[in-house]
């Protein structure tokens, strides 16, 4: 039976409630991260009215910066907060992160100009990676030995379920009542999570021996950098598509704007299925899981590129893209936790830095091709190129493992950038 770090046994019911509270935070984060995708034209029309009137494509591309700003905030905040606060009791840290989420999301909803909203989205993203990282460590301890990836998947399930229920419904609300009401609704979800964590999540001590220096040692390992690059580059395939899904649905497939939330439901269903399948398979073999889901991603992007003008092609394509990308997330997070050795707090958070570099990269490069007048299918080809590079990096990192085993090195993941083999 799982237990607290103090040794007190937890009942199965208490464990389930604690995991549900952690997943609720993932749900709120999924809503705040992804709701802008479905409301891109609404944000552009309200925050950049002059540009939108003269060139909707240019305005949509510029408002895509809000998504990139959020992603960059995750990149900055995840390692910084995780390393600095590794010694904090985990419940206390989760509550501080949720309070910051709530306040910054309210600011996103209320600030008047595009520039200020851009800053608010960056600030709102700072707690993102640290929350998922710490919540994943809490969930892994609650789940027990041999179930790390499944613990990660439970926390991430909130994010994926948000794409089935939360993002489409909040997108619909934003289309009807305005995007600012949509963000205030997201802020209310964070406040609800704050209360749920107070009630349901048990105390867990931080790592009393952790220091920022020790946590940052993760960055000295070549395999950590390769795992980060796999997430950053490979995951860009999803966000090159997802960022511009609303204009893809309207301009390419020819569906009305009210169909966008329904397409987002399909993306979310794919992400939910992929998350749980990826978590289960990663506990068996990280390598096979990574290769499998990159293959599915490549096939799905090709299918979408050639058939997005049809309803069936659009729905099947976005389902598979969302599923493959979401399955890669617990796989990459488990890989990072393997290769980071004792730097577990920062390793658990770094996955979200990597994925949100992919978010920023996919959104930016997709915006470049859209602004160049290449249309809304062009970001899909951008995503395909990024995913191919992710496959190359995956092959490289596992080739290093094989080479080390052939040489009889008993530390499969410890090569340092400076050429020294770290102790296991």
């Amino acid at each position: 039976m799982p237990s607290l770090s103090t040794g007190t046994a937890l009942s199965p019911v208490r464990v389930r409630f604690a995991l549900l509270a952690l997943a609720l935070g993932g749900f709120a984060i999924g809503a705040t991260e992804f709701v802008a995708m479905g409301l891109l034209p609404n944000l552009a029309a309200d925050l950049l009215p002059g540009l939108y009137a003269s060139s909707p494509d240019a305005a949509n591309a510029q408002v895509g910066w809000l998504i990139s700003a959020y992603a960059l905030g995750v990149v900055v905040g995840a390692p910084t907060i995780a390393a600095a606060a590794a010694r904090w009791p985990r419940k206390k840290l989760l509550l501080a992160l949720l309070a910051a989420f709530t306040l910054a999301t309210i600011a996103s909803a209320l600030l008047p100009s595009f520039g200020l909203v851009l800053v608010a989205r960056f600030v709102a993203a700072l707690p993102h990676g640290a929350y998922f990282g710490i919540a994943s460590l809490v969930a892994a301890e609650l789940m027990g030995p041999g179930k790390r990836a499944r613990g990660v998947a439970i926390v991430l399930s909130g994010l994926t379920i948000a794409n089935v229920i939360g993002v489409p419904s909040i997108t619909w609300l934003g289309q009807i009542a305005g995007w600012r009401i949509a963000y205030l609704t997201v802020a209310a979800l964070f406040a609800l999570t704050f209360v749920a964590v107070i009630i349901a999540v048990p105390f867990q001590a931080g790592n009393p021996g952790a220091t920022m220096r020790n946590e940052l040692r993760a960055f000295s390992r070549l395999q950590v950098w390769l795992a980060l690059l796999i997430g950053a580059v490979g995951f860009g395939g999803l966000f090159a598509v997802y960022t511009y899904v609303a204009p893809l649905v309207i301009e390419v497939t020819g569906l009305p704007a009210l169909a966008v939330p329904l397409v987002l439901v399909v993306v979310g269903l794919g992400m939910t299925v992929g998350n749980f399948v990826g978590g289960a398979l990663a506990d068996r073999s990280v390598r096979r899981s990574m290769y499998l889901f990159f293959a599915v991603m490549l096939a799905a992007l090709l299918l979408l590129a050639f058939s997005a003008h049809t309803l069936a092609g659009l729905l099947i394509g976005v389902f598979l893209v969302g599923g493959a990308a979401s399955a890669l997330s617990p796989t990459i997070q488990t890989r990072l936790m393997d290769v980071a050795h004792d730097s577990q707090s920062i390793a658990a958070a770094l996955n979200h830095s990597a994925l949100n570099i992919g978010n920023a990269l996919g959104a930016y490069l997709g915006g470049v091709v859209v602004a160049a007048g290449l249309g809304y299918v062009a970001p899909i080809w951008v995503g395909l190129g990024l995913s191919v590079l992710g496959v190359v990096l995956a092959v490289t990192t596992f080739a290093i493992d094989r080479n080390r085993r052939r040489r009889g090195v008993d530390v499969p993941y410890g090569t340092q950038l400076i050429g020294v083999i770290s102790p296991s």
Side-chain angles (χ1 to χ4, degrees):
M1 179 179 292
S3 65
L4 298 167
S5 54
T6 58
T8 304
L10 297 175
S11 70
V13 172
R14 178 70 187 278
V15 170
R16 284 195 290 271
F17 275 116
L19 293 171
L20 181 62
L22 297 173
L24 180 60
F27 185 94
I29 293 173
T32 199
E33 181 174 16
F34 295 125
V35 75
M37 279 84 164
L39 293 174
L40 206 68
N42 308 78
L43 286 156
D46 185 50
L47 292 174
L48 300 169
L51 181 60
Y52 190 81
S54 62
S55 175
D57 286 355
N60 285 336
Q62 187 168 335
V63 168
W65 296 356
L66 294 176
I67 298 164
S68 296
Y70 186 93
L72 291 173
V74 178
V75 173
V76 172
T80 306
I81 296 173
R87 299 178 68 174
W88 284 31
R90 290 171 179 170
K91 181 173 180 176
K92 178 181 178 181
L93 179 55
L94 290 173
L95 291 173
L97 296 171
L98 288 166
F101 268 128
T102 304
L103 295 174
T105 307
I106 291 172
S108 300
L110 299 181
L111 289 170
S113 68
F114 174 74
L116 291 174
V117 173
L118 190 72
V119 173
R121 297 312 297 151
F122 175 84
V123 174
L126 293 174
H128 176 125
Y131 177 87
F132 274 123
I134 300 303
S136 294
L137 292 175
V138 172
E141 185 168 325
L142 291 170
M143 290 288 289
K147 298 179 180 178
R148 285 183 312 157
R150 276 167 282 186
V152 172
I154 287 173
V155 175
L156 291 174
S157 71
L159 187 150
T160 60
I161 292 170
N163 283 278
V164 180
I165 302 171
V167 173
S169 59
I170 295 172
T171 297
W172 175 83
L173 177 64
Q175 290 175 335
I176 300 300
W179 67 269
R180 296 182 188 275
I181 298 299
Y183 275 110
L184 287 175
T185 303
V186 174
L189 289 173
F190 281 120
L192 179 62
T193 305
F194 184 92
V195 175
V197 169
I198 288 177
I199 295 171
V201 175
F203 173 85
Q204 278 192 15
N207 182 356
T211 65
M212 180 172 284
R213 181 178 180 180
N214 287 340
E215 290 291 322
L216 292 177
R217 282 179 182 170
F219 289 111
S220 69
R221 297 186 174 98
L222 174 61
Q223 291 286 47
V224 168
W225 282 102
L226 287 172
L228 290 173
L229 285 171
I230 291 168
V233 176
F235 220 70
L238 169 66
F239 289 105
V241 174
Y242 202 175
T243 301
Y244 301 97
V245 69
L248 179 71
V249 169
I250 297 166
E251 301 293 336
V252 176
T253 315
L255 299 176
L258 289 177
V260 173
L262 299 178
V263 175
L264 293 176
V265 169
V266 175
V267 178
L269 287 170
M271 294 177 75
T272 301
V273 172
N275 176 59
F276 285 111
V277 173
L281 293 184
D283 274 331
R284 298 181 182 181
S285 171
V286 169
R287 180 178 60 84
R288 288 195 295 270
S289 178
M290 194 175 296
Y291 285 153
L292 170 64
F293 293 116
F294 264 125
V296 175
M297 172 72 84
L298 293 172
L301 287 166
L302 281 171
L303 171 67
L304 188 60
F306 285 112
S307 62
H309 61 284
T310 68
L311 178 60
L314 173 74
L315 296 181
I316 295 170
V318 298
F319 178 88
L320 291 175
V321 169
S326 189
L328 283 168
S329 184
T331 303
I332 295 169
Q333 179 140 339
T334 303
R335 175 67 175 175
L336 272 167
M337 292 166 75
D338 284 340
V339 299
H341 295 291
D342 294 332
S343 306
Q344 289 295 294
S345 292
I346 198 168
L350 280 173
N351 183 44
H352 299 278
S353 288
L355 301 188
N356 278 273
I357 291 173
N359 186 338
L361 189 63
Y364 173 74
L365 293 177
V368 169
V369 296
V370 168
L374 299 179
Y376 289 105
V377 172
I380 301 173
W381 292 107
V382 170
L384 185 70
L386 291 172
S387 295
V388 167
L389 184 53
V391 172
V392 172
L393 291 166
V395 170
T396 301
T397 192
F398 293 120
I400 292 172
D401 285 352
R402 288 194 301 273
N403 182 58
R404 189 172 298 120
R405 283 194 295 270
R406 281 197 297 267
R407 290 187 288 120
V409 177
D410 192 30
V411 188
Y413 307 120
T415 301
Q416 306 265 344
L417 282 176
I418 58 175
V420 178
I421 303 299
S422 67
S424 58

